[in-house]
Structure formats: structure tokens, C-alpha cells
Amino acid sequence: MSRTTDTAPAPAPAPAPANLVGSAVPRREDPRLLTGRGRFVDDIQLPRMLHAQFVRASVASGQLTSLDLSAVREVPGVVAAFTADDLDLRVITAGLHRPPEEYVPTGMPVLARDRVRFVGEPIAIVIAEDPYAAEDGIEAAKAVYDVLPPVLNEDAALAPGAPLVHEEAPGNTLLDVSLFATEGIDRILADAPCTVRVESRTGRQNALPLETRGALAQWDAREEQLVVHTCTQIPHQVRTVMADCMGLDERAVRVVVPDMGGGFGIKCVVGREEIAVGAAALRLGRPVKWIEDRKDALTASFLAREQHCSLRAAFDADGHILALDGDVVCDMGAYSCYPFTVGIEPLMASSEMPGVYRVPAYRVRGRAITTNKAPTAPYRGVSRPQYVMAVERIFERAARELGLDPVEIRRRNVITEFPYTGVNNITYDPGSYLESLDLCEKSLRDEGWYARQAEAAEQGRHLGIGYSCFSERTGYGTAAFAQRKMKVVPGFDLAEVRMDTTGALTVTTGTISHGQSHETTMAQIAADELGLELHKVKLHQGDTERIAYGWGTFASRSIAIGGSAVRRAAGKLGERLRALTAGLLNVPYEDTVLDRGRVRLRDDPERGLTHVELAEVAYLRADLLPAGTEPGLTATASFDTLSDGTFSNATHGVVVELHEGTGQVEILRYICVEDCGVAINPTVVEGQCRGGIAQGIAGALYEQITYDAQGDPECTGFMEYRTPTAAEIPDITIHHLETPSLITETGAKGAGEGGTIGAPAAVLNAVNDALRPTGVELENTPIRPEQIQLALEQTAHEHKESAPA
């Protein structure tokens, strides 16, 4: 059987459109990835390479009284086994600049030493000649615990006298912040014609990237560097923390990210395992590889989403919201993730909950509690799927109380004048909130779904229609992250462009692609700016040696921040090319323009110099350079948003049918109307939307990590952790609106998370609409078939009882 190799010739480039930005050019990554020529961490094989796995805690809470690895070291093929004392690494501590009554920092040891806080916590690392021997080795470890009662949920954590997960955190509360409290809000709530309440809970989830976490570390004696290949969204932060934990100079650590099979947020925090793998490789002087298995990914990796949102809202008689009062409790598990801390979910919810609506009075309390479960990290959408669901339930409930159409009450409250500064002190840039709502409703009406719903009711079937409206804050810059009072403040990004002697361009950026098509979209931006053919541009990213610093990819920042830095850098290089042309041709700089691989005169298109001719002078014939011109063709630039960022927005509309006998929810129709500003590549944007919606549907109907009374995870594989397949995800229609960002260089806003944010609310609202005749209203996700079946059976029984004999 033949196999395509890495040296296979690339397909001939297709003719480029006149403007690459905004064009649905084919993804440049696909030929490599679809033919098996991608290179992921587990594809890398090195001479004398060893394999690692971790001995993990078998109890949710306890004192580790002894850990005997002597039998481990006797297992055939095992080379070494290390405890926390053996490696002696500093703890990982994420911090906020907040007073002790608001925030309690907690260190996360790379390997637990005395106390274990969740089942699956790593307590030792076993190194062997092959993965099977490593697995045999961890089974030979003998750990003895003084078992303590675990704290497994919000009620247990906050109960008076509850056991403490961390002794330094009284009441098991790591963060307790009230960001906003409008004066007089209690009076507004008391006097309002209509007051409604919602209690909403969301299940704990796993982000489920196709590629689990992994790392391969080796010591490079020539460079005096520990080189770590790992699948992370934040290579520079991994470098910083790894150097700190080991007491190394930061230049002595190099982090390289090869192809990555998804991340969705759980890889945008620093993991303990990659640090331990690096320390083991440094100690042994041999390459060490660790690949996380799916069981560990489901039980011991970073999790997300478990949130309890209590809302109360006041409306006037016409359906205008008067006040919103919220209490958000986030179960963040056993530790605070680096660099975002446990504040990532409650602070996000607190600061952005008003969303697309004009809320005149607002009060909110946000808390992060700690429990004996795997720690929480960001997951696509970060708190917004949860609080958007609660807010959208508020509007549904108010509409019912006031006898209004659920779309109309939203229409009366969405922001329509921009820029708009909300009660949360955030300024929203222009968006299409009302337009997306109107188009979504019109699409469902034009397709006849409202008529079909009425027909279904006559036939005894249960169809429901639901909506959700939301904004997605993207392009968080330094100023936005600083508002959270983080000790490590992300924001800016850097880019470098370099043209070689053939006129080809290399772009280096601090962002990371784990499925977002950066090799295509970043190239589109740079090629457009310089007047290049797309195939002449190559992107490099994910290597801490190639760029001074970068914050990686999360929070829909790559195109908004990283793409803006790329455009600026390309613009600077374009200026250099024009200046060099002007000097060589002895013409004014203003008379030159970039034009498809050359620089020509504005008024004389036949006269000019190609990029190859210019590069030859810049690199090979420096004697011809005009006076004062430096050799080479490189440029660097940074970009940061010093404002509140830029806001994408969307409306999702869903039609569901509930099936009697099984309680199953079938999604019959899904429409998304999205506005992410200028879509660099519409096909890529649609892919982001569809993938995000699939994950949102998963959270609404299927996925939840659960635990037994001892804190043992009950979802150790896909038999227990229910995930949707292609059969459960409907066809999705996406309509694009375009309100260019006034903040970014390209007019683009982020597009990575919106699908996930809107889906749970829209699905839940559609299910409740279908359940309306039963009088049952669901508030929590995931929605269970037995809940629906019970409601339908109860209604059927009541109808039977009331029917005439």
C-alpha cells in the first residue's frame, strides 16, 4: 500500500480572487491533514524515547500517608518513578490583585505531596521503555490514604461546618465578588408591575478535543534547552510556568506546538502533567513522552460549565426590563487554573450578563467555590452559555406573565443605538442585535414553521420554537483583562513578516491554531495587504523561539488581535518595499503602489520592480541599497485593544419535536443569524458556527460528568458520557450580517465561540415551548428524556381522566 509522504508535491495553486479577505478560499491546511500528513505530538518519535504515565489518586479527599514506588521500579521495562519529593518542583499558583475577603489563592502542586483533592489527581510519574510497561508500572504503586469526607457539590461546599477542600479557604469559597449594585434596585424590584425569577443549573462537561493532551520533552545539550512539544493553546505561558517550577532561566525552555486536534479552552491553561514530563526528561537525560488516555481526559483533565445562576428581574407593563438581580455560583473543582484563576467563570458572568439588552439597573454577586472534583478551565463560550440561558429564560417567563410574544419582548429590549455603554460599564461597539433577531424570526415564519406547529398540535404532536439572542465579547485586550485584576494580564499580540529572496513571505504570530484555519486566514490578511498570491504566504506559529511572546488562542482573539498584528506587520513591510522602490527608481514614495507581486508607479503601471528584484537588492546586493536603508525585508508589529473589545452578535432559532414514549428531543430546524464583522473567510466562519452549535446542543441535551457519593467519576468512557453523533446534529442554516469592527485592523470580530453560547438557551426555550400544554417548565441542562416523558405522560393521563366516559 502506498503512502503519501511529507515530500509529496503540493497541488497547483488556484487563481486568487481580487480581494482575498472576505473570500471563501479553500483551506490551505486540508491537503496535509486529510491525507494523513499532519504531525501531532504522538506522531513524533525520537531516539531513546521513553514513555510516561501517572499514578493518580484513588480517593476524592484524603491525606496521602504513604506512597511506595519500590514495586513500580521492579516492573519490567520501567526506567524510573518519581514522587513530588523526588522532582521537588514549585507549585503553580494563579493570582488576582484582590483583597483576601474577595479572593483566596491556592497553589496547585505539579504532583500532590501530602493531600489529594480529587480522584485522578497525579501523585507520581512512571517512566518506561514503552507505554504498556508504564501502564503496568502505575498499577504496582502502593498508596495509603487517610480518607476524608469529600465535598462534591454546591450545597455540601457551602453548608455550615462543611469539610474544607483547602484549609486557607473558609466556607470553600475561593472568590466572592459583587461587581455591580445599582442604588435603589431593591425598590425597583419591589414596585415593578412584573417580577420574575429563574433558577438555572448547568451540568459539568468535558470539552472533548479529538486529540487528548500530550507532551514530549527532551534536553538539547547543544542549545542548553529543554525542548517540549505539547498540544497547548498557550505555549509562552507554558514556557514561563515550566521554567519557574523547575527554577530555570526562561530561555532554557522552548515550547513547540505541532498540529493540534482541538482544544476548546481546556488547553489554554497550564497543565501539571506537561511540567512533570519536562522535569522527568531533564532528570533522565532522555526524551519522555506522555499521551493522555480518554479515561484520564474524562476524569482527571480540566472540566467546565457547572454553574448555578439565580436571577430576578423586574419589567414594566409594556415588557421593558427595569432591573436584573443575579447570584452566580460556579463549582470550579479542586484548584485554580493558571493563568485565569477560578475567577474566569464568575467574573465573566458578572461583568457581561446584561448582554444585548438595555438593563437600567443591575446587581450581581459572583462566587467560585471549590469541591473535590477535577478543576475547571475555560471551555468554548466561558460562562456565557450558562448565563445567556438564564437571561433568555427570564425574557421567556416575563413574556408569558405579560401576555407578550417572546420575540416581541426581546425586540423591545435589545440595544439598537451604538456605541452603547451599559450599566455594567462596558461600551458595546456597533452590532446588529435587532436585525439578527428580525431575520431569524422571519426565516422561521417564511419557512412555515409556525403553521406547522399549529398543525402538529391538532395532531397531538409536540413542536416547540425557541430563540436566543446574545453578544460575544471578542478581542479582549490588556485593558479588558486588567479589569479582572489578574496578576498575569493577557491582551496584546505580536507578529513578524519576512520576505525571502524569492518573494515568498513567512508570517509568524503568537496565536495558535487548533482547528481555526489560521494557515488560511492569516495568509489571506497578509497577502491582501502586500498584494501577494495566497500560495506565496506561509504561516508559522506555536514556537516560543520564533516570536518573543504571544498569548496564544482563546476568547475568539486570534483574528481580532493576532490578525490585526499580522496586518500591521504586513503594512510595515509594504512601506519598506515601497520606500526601497522609490529609492531605487528615484521617485517620490507617494508615487508607488503595491500590485500583485511587485511595486509599480501609480501613474505608470509598466514601470516598477518585482518583489524578487527588491529582495535581491535587500539581501544579495546591499551595495545598491539607497543611503540610510537597512538590508533585509522584515517587519514586526503588535496589536492591542485598549477599549472594552469588540462584540460579535447572533440570534439562534430552533424548532424541536418531543416524542412520546421515549421523551427524545428531535431538532427539526436550526437557524443561526450571525454577525462577526468582516468575515475573513466565510466558509471558516460557518465551520466555527456549526462546530460551536454542535457543542452547545451537546450541553443542552446530552453531556454531563457525574460522581458517586465517594467522589468517583461515573463517566469514564463514552458508554457513560453521552455525546451526540452526526445523527443528532441537524442541518444548520447560517445567515451572515456584517457590521465591521471599528477597533480591529481588518474590521473582523471574533467568531469562535458564538455557536456554543446561543445553542443551549435556544434549545431549552424550544423544548419548553413544546411542553407549554403540559404546564411543565424546565430550567436546567442537560435536559433528560425521562423529564420530558414524565411531563408528556402526566398530560396524557390528565386528558384521559377528564375525557367523558
Side-chain angles (χ1 to χ4, degrees):
M1 181 175 69
S2 64
R3 178 178 176 178
T4 306
T5 66
D6 287 335
T7 58
N19 293 308
L20 289 165
V21 168
S23 298
V25 300
R27 281 181 16 121
R28 301 187 68 199
E29 298 89 336
D30 286 346
R32 180 181 82 256
L33 297 175
L34 295 177
T35 56
R37 291 183 287 124
R39 190 167 186 252
F40 300 84
V41 171
D42 200 27
D43 293 322
I44 303 172
Q45 304 294 325
L46 297 176
R48 303 178 66 240
M49 186 175 73
L50 300 172
H51 297 264
Q53 278 301 335
F54 289 87
V55 181
R56 297 185 180 274
S58 59
V59 301
S61 179
Q63 294 291 335
L64 180 58
T65 58
S66 74
L67 177 58
D68 184 359
L69 301 182
S70 57
V72 176
R73 298 183 178 105
E74 298 300 319
V75 171
V78 170
V79 174
F82 302 123
T83 65
D85 288 334
D86 295 327
L87 296 182
D88 193 27
L89 300 169
R90 297 172 185 167
V91 300
I92 305 168
T93 304
L96 296 173
H97 290 291
R98 291 188 177 274
E101 63 270 19
E102 290 187 352
Y103 175 68
V104 179
T106 54
M108 181 170 64
V110 175
L111 297 176
R113 180 178 268 106
D114 302 316
R115 176 76 184 269
V116 297
R117 293 183 170 87
F118 67 93
V119 172
E121 181 166 11
I123 59 176
I125 183 172
V126 176
I127 316 296
E129 295 288 351
D130 62 63
Y132 307 103
E135 293 284 353
D136 291 342
I138 63 176
E139 292 181 3
K142 297 179 181 178
V144 178
Y145 305 93
D146 181 4
V147 180
L148 300 172
V151 176
L152 298 175
N153 55 51
E154 176 191 344
D155 292 339
L158 299 179
L164 297 181
V165 179
H166 295 272
E167 293 298 324
E168 63 270 34
N172 290 312
T173 301
L174 300 181
L175 181 91
D176 189 345
V177 178
S178 296
L179 292 183
F180 304 98
T182 302
E183 186 175 352
I185 190 171
D186 286 320
R187 175 54 56 191
I188 296 171
L189 290 161
D191 294 344
C194 175
T195 303
V196 293
R197 296 175 181 267
V198 162
E199 290 275 339
S200 178
R201 297 177 186 267
T202 50
R204 199 170 193 83
Q205 286 184 256
N206 189 292
L208 288 182
L210 186 63
E211 180 192 25
T212 57
R213 297 180 300 154
L216 168 58
Q218 64 170 325
W219 176 253
D220 185 333
R222 182 179 184 278
E223 296 296 332
E224 297 182 327
Q225 269 188 331
L226 182 66
V227 181
V228 182
H229 287 80
T230 183
C231 46
T232 178
Q233 297 168 229
I234 52 168
H236 287 84
Q237 287 80 75
V238 171
R239 180 186 68 180
T240 295
V241 174
M242 187 171 288
D244 180 69
C245 286
M246 297 183 190
L248 300 173
D249 291 338
E250 195 162 311
R251 65 131 219 103
V253 179
R254 177 185 182 186
V255 177
V256 182
V257 182
D259 288 320
M260 181 163 39
F264 306 120
I266 67 163
K267 297 177 184 176
C268 79
V269 295
V270 178
R272 312 156 81 166
E273 290 88 350
E274 54 203 356
I275 307 296
V277 168
L282 187 63
R283 190 180 182 99
L284 295 172
R286 292 178 64 178
V288 176
K289 179 194 284 188
W290 163 70
I291 300 297
E292 182 180 52
D293 64 28
R294 188 60 70 178
K295 177 184 176 182
D296 287 346
L298 283 167
T299 60
S301 184
F302 294 99
L303 302 176
R305 293 281 197 258
E306 191 169 2
Q307 188 175 116
H308 175 201
C309 193
S310 304
L311 295 186
R312 183 170 51 141
F315 290 81
D316 68 17
D318 294 322
H320 299 104
I321 191 168
L322 302 174
L324 181 63
D325 187 16
D327 186 0
V328 179
V329 180
C330 303
D331 184 339
M332 303 302 287
Y335 293 102
S336 201
C337 67
Y338 184 96
F340 300 102
T341 79
V342 292
I344 181 68
E345 295 240 349
L347 291 177
M348 174 77 80
S350 297
S351 62
E352 299 185 16
M353 189 179 293
V356 297
Y357 299 111
R358 297 187 300 270
V359 177
Y362 180 45
R363 179 172 61 195
V364 65
R365 181 187 185 188
R367 284 176 284 174
I369 62 168
T370 180
T371 58
N372 292 116
K373 294 181 286 197
T376 291
Y379 171 30
R380 196 175 194 171
V382 186
S383 200
R384 287 166 288 192
Q386 298 99 297
Y387 75 70
V388 165
M389 189 175 81
V391 170
E392 291 297 288
R393 293 296 309 129
I394 279 284
F395 278 92
E396 291 281 322
R397 186 159 288 177
R400 192 172 68 254
E401 292 286 331
L402 293 167
L404 293 173
D405 178 82
V407 174
E408 179 58 29
I409 196 170
R410 291 174 170 86
R411 190 175 284 118
R412 296 180 185 185
N413 285 281
V414 295
I415 301 166
T416 55
E417 297 181 359
F418 299 95
Y420 176 85
T421 300
V423 68
N424 53 354
N425 296 327
I426 292 176
T427 298
Y428 299 76
D429 61 341
S432 55
Y433 303 170
L434 180 59
E435 294 84 351
S436 67
L437 176 62
D438 287 344
L439 180 55
C440 192
E441 182 196 30
K442 181 177 185 300
S443 298
L444 288 176
R445 288 193 181 278
D446 288 350
E447 291 181 7
W449 285 105
Y450 282 86
R452 294 188 210 183
Q453 183 184 34
E455 293 172 3
E458 295 175 358
Q459 299 165 0
R461 295 164 57 209
H462 311 279
L463 262 64
I465 299 174
Y467 294 89
S468 68
C469 301
F470 62 93
S471 62
E472 176 193 357
R473 189 180 184 185
T474 73
Y476 288 82
T478 301
F481 279 113
Q483 291 172 4
R484 297 182 184 174
K485 301 183 180 180
M486 295 173 63
K487 287 189 175 180
V488 175
V489 184
F492 70 88
D493 233 300
L494 305 175
E496 178 189 88
V497 295
R498 182 178 71 251
M499 184 171 283
D500 63 25
T501 58
T502 66
L505 190 74
T506 299
V507 176
T508 306
T509 174
T511 62
I512 297 295
S513 179
H514 41 98
Q516 297 95 330
S517 312
H518 290 180
E519 291 179 43
T520 304
T521 53
M522 294 292 190
Q524 287 178 260
I525 292 169
D528 250 7
E529 186 67 17
L530 288 167
L532 289 171
E533 298 294 328
L534 189 63
H535 70 276
K536 297 289 282 186
V537 183
K538 173 64 178 175
L539 177 71
H540 281 296
Q541 55 183 345
D543 188 339
T544 58
E545 288 294 283
R546 285 185 175 268
I547 198 142
Y549 215 85
W551 287 104
T553 293
F554 52 86
S556 298
R557 70 185 303 275
S558 292
I559 288 299
I561 303 289
S564 291
V566 167
R567 187 173 186 269
R568 280 189 176 180
K572 285 185 177 181
L573 180 58
E575 292 170 0
R576 291 202 64 187
L577 291 167
R578 291 177 61 196
L580 180 55
T581 301
L584 293 173
L585 297 183
N586 196 27
V587 298
Y589 172 87
E590 294 76 15
D591 290 350
T592 62
V593 293
L594 295 162
D595 183 23
R596 294 296 174 186
R598 61 197 290 264
V599 182
R600 63 169 177 82
L601 299 191
R602 189 181 305 276
D603 298 326
D604 186 0
E606 299 303 317
R607 190 180 177 202
L609 295 170
T610 66
H611 290 168
V612 173
E613 292 169 331
L614 293 168
E616 182 177 0
V617 172
Y619 290 106
L620 307 179
R621 293 298 309 275
D623 57 305
L624 300 179
L625 286 172
T629 303
E630 293 185 358
L633 292 175
T634 63
T636 61
S638 66
F639 184 82
D640 199 352
T641 53
L642 301 180
S643 65
D644 290 328
T646 186
F647 288 80
S648 299
N649 68 270
T651 297
H652 290 197
V654 180
V655 183
V656 303
E657 181 169 7
L658 311 182
H659 292 283
E660 291 188 16
T662 64
Q664 294 296 318
V665 178
E666 180 184 2
I667 300 177
L668 304 179
R669 191 73 175 101
Y670 205 113
I671 293 178
C672 167
V673 182
E674 69 82 32
D675 185 344
C676 65
V678 174
I680 303 298
N681 188 313
T683 299
V684 170
V685 169
E686 292 195 6
Q688 291 284 343
C689 288
R690 289 192 169 90
I693 288 168
Q695 287 180 310
I697 291 171
L701 298 177
Y702 301 99
E703 296 179 9
Q704 184 175 17
I705 298 285
T706 57
Y707 299 81
D708 67 15
Q710 288 72 47
D712 286 309
E714 294 178 316
C715 301
T716 59
F718 290 131
M719 290 296 289
E720 301 87 10
Y721 190 65
R722 299 177 64 232
T723 59
T725 69
E728 285 77 46
I729 303 301
D731 288 336
I732 299 165
T733 296
I734 299 171
H735 298 294
H736 300 279
L737 302 177
E738 185 176 296
T739 308
S741 171
L742 304 179
I743 297 168
T744 65
E745 290 285 315
T746 62
K749 306 175 182 181
E753 302 180 88
T756 316
I757 294 169
V763 171
L764 179 59
N765 285 336
V767 168
N768 279 328
D769 188 48
L771 285 175
R772 196 80 62 213
T774 71
V776 173
E777 188 171 357
L778 304 178
E779 300 289 5
N780 306 325
T781 57
I783 301 165
R784 296 300 185 193
E786 55 267 27
Q787 295 174 298
I788 293 172
Q789 181 60 23
L790 184 62
L792 297 179
E793 285 179 355
Q794 181 178 335
T795 302
H797 178 73
E798 290 172 355
H799 287 169
K800 184 176 180 180
E801 290 290 320
S802 61

